[in-house]
Amino acid sequence: MSVVAVPPEAWSVSVAEALAAGFTFFEWLGVVDEVGRADVLRVVVVLRALDRPAETRRLSTEVPRDGGALDTLRDLVAGAAWHEREAAEMFGLTFTGGDPRRLLLGAEFAGAPLRKDAVLGARTALAWPGAKEPGESAASPSRRRMVPPGVPDPAVWGDRDPEAGPANPDEVAGSAVGGRVRRRTGGARRGTGTDG
């Protein structure tokens, strides 16, 4: 399946052309946060030709992470409105002419939780089940406490020097990868200080 890159201003026109070419089944619309590589959100739509099951058309465009907007597809494709609402809510993207209602999060929620620079603070407070193998206890000495995905390094978020100012999105996203060994935050340190 090849990807057809289109400019954001030609988004709805390109989808309409794919529909006219027989790719009439709307399969999926999703967003990828490219922070760390580019300061954009990549939006992808996958269309399928039902009379040619092996053929799909994947269209991709990029919009700025801040203030990015695309024309809605909901008037062209049945089912696109739900995907656009999810993308708008989770990534902070605007679909001009789309349905602005919340889909999954409460009205009081602020932010875009699926962006890579979004901090998943609950993971810092709760035990992460992926940090140990089945049958191991929380006090298992044979395993270092690993940081779950979505929790930035404390030097970037949490214990950051207030005079340094807020971390930029690239810095937060780069430090929020899982699998790092959790640093000890106090008390006597054993060995190198990376034991949990």
Side-chain angles (χ1 to χ4, degrees):
M1 171 172 39
S2 64
V3 180
V4 179
V6 299
E9 60 275 7
W11 179 245
S12 60
V13 172
S14 298
V15 171
E17 289 171 354
L19 293 168
F23 297 93
T24 56
F25 182 78
F26 173 81
E27 188 169 297
W28 179 77
L29 180 142
V31 180
V32 177
D33 185 359
E34 296 285 353
V35 68
R37 291 190 292 189
D39 200 25
V40 296
L41 296 172
R42 180 183 309 278
V43 182
V44 180
V45 66
V46 179
L47 303 169
R48 187 174 297 277
L50 293 177
D51 59 336
R52 304 178 306 264
E55 291 186 46
T56 60
R57 177 78 46 94
R58 185 167 64 178
L59 303 173
S60 172
T61 193
E62 295 177 350
V63 296
R65 292 181 85 245
D66 295 322
L70 288 174
D71 290 334
T72 185
L73 301 179
R74 75 181 188 154
D75 296 332
L76 297 174
V77 183
W82 187 93
H83 291 256
E84 289 176 347
R85 285 172 65 193
E86 180 186 37
E89 192 170 334
M90 296 294 160
F91 290 92
L93 183 61
T94 300
F95 286 92
T96 307
D99 188 344
R101 293 177 298 160
R102 289 279 184 148
L103 182 66
L104 301 169
L105 302 173
E108 73 285 350
F109 188 88
L114 290 186
R115 285 191 181 199
K116 290 181 182 175
D117 61 341
V119 174
L120 303 176
R123 289 190 175 175
T124 63
L126 302 174
W128 183 50
K132 55 185 184 282
E133 295 293 325
E136 287 185 324
S137 71
S140 177
S142 64
R143 197 155 165 100
R144 296 176 178 168
R145 288 195 60 210
M146 301 301 281
V147 176
V151 178
D153 188 303
V156 174
W157 176 80
D159 295 339
R160 186 176 179 87
D161 181 6
E163 293 181 13
N168 69 45
D170 288 344
E171 191 179 4
V172 175
S175 74
V177 296
R180 297 184 328 272
V181 175
R182 187 181 301 268
R183 295 186 324 189
R184 295 178 60 88
T185 56
R189 295 182 181 257
R190 294 181 303 209
T192 62
T194 57
D195 294 332

